[in-house]
Amino acid sequence: MSTITSRRPRGFPTGGQFAPTSHAEPGLNLAAGSSVDRAGLQSRQQDARERMVQARLEYEDVSLVLAADHIRENYPDARYADVEWDGRDDCALPSVIYDRNWKRIGHWHDDDFKTRISDSLPHFAALHADGGRWTDHEPKTEDADVYSIGNFLDLDSIATIDTTTKDAA
């Protein structure tokens, strides 16, 4: 059963509002002179920022290794992947796969490329445009068949990334 709160009658300047009732003061008491350890908070925030950056880098590394492994599973002769940035989502998408001689062996417009590469797309989505530490901006050859408006991944270099779990310090 609920308690009915009395209201003032309509027609008065304060009509329809709750009528005043007595109540106890809240039990909250802010101690005078309490202080915040600002230096301690700033140190903790800096430590958290550094851990977050490290976690993001490790997440990118694992995502990159999984994507590269998936490419090589579907294209065993793959050595390089051309990655372009999707401006809408600010993430990477593979567009062309090359062999060791920069011969194109897979392209986004090939009938089965999207099907073969689709399982790696969530891993590529973890790679953001501001983290280009794992890409080269130019191909290593003057081959006319090689073009890019994005970045190139060296799949051999990616294979050397250590993704083993690191012990917490």
Side-chain angles (χ1 to χ4, degrees):
M1 187 164 146
S2 62
T3 305
I4 299 175
T5 305
S6 64
R7 293 181 178 262
R8 294 182 179 171
R10 291 182 185 229
F12 289 91
T14 57
Q17 297 179 354
F18 289 108
T21 59
S22 61
H23 62 280
E25 291 298 320
L28 180 63
N29 183 13
L30 297 176
S34 65
S35 64
V36 174
D37 177 11
R38 293 192 188 284
L41 286 176
Q42 289 173 345
S43 174
R44 183 174 159 163
Q45 288 172 348
Q46 181 62 32
D47 182 52
R49 281 188 206 98
E50 289 170 6
R51 287 189 324 216
M52 198 158 60
V53 167
Q54 185 61 36
R56 182 183 65 94
L57 295 177
E58 289 176 15
Y59 176 63
E60 278 190 355
D61 285 349
V62 170
S63 296
L64 188 58
V65 167
L66 289 171
D69 286 353
H70 183 74
I71 287 173
R72 282 210 160 140
E73 182 180 351
N74 287 279
Y75 292 92
D77 295 331
R79 168 66 195 271
Y80 304 102
D82 186 0
V83 176
E84 297 180 15
W85 300 109
D86 179 350
R88 292 169 293 151
D89 298 323
D90 192 27
C91 67
L93 297 172
S95 59
V96 185
I97 307 297
Y98 298 96
D99 69 7
R100 294 184 185 289
N101 299 314
W102 288 96
K103 180 181 177 213
R104 187 169 48 193
I105 58 176
H107 189 275
W108 189 253
H109 297 294
D110 297 343
D111 290 337
D112 67 339
F113 182 85
K114 291 179 187 175
T115 303
R116 290 169 129 189
I117 298 301
S118 63
D119 286 345
S120 67
L121 294 181
H123 303 302
F124 276 105
L127 310 175
H128 295 280
D130 64 352
R133 64 193 173 86
W134 36 264
T135 61
D136 291 322
H137 297 279
E138 298 295 332
K140 306 291 188 220
T141 180
E142 297 298 322
D143 189 334
D145 191 35
V146 178
Y147 64 92
S148 173
I149 59 171
N151 296 297
F152 289 92
L153 301 176
D154 182 336
L155 301 179
D156 283 354
S157 294
I158 293 167
T160 66
I161 294 174
D162 179 12
T163 59
T164 58
T165 305
K166 297 167 181 63
D167 292 331

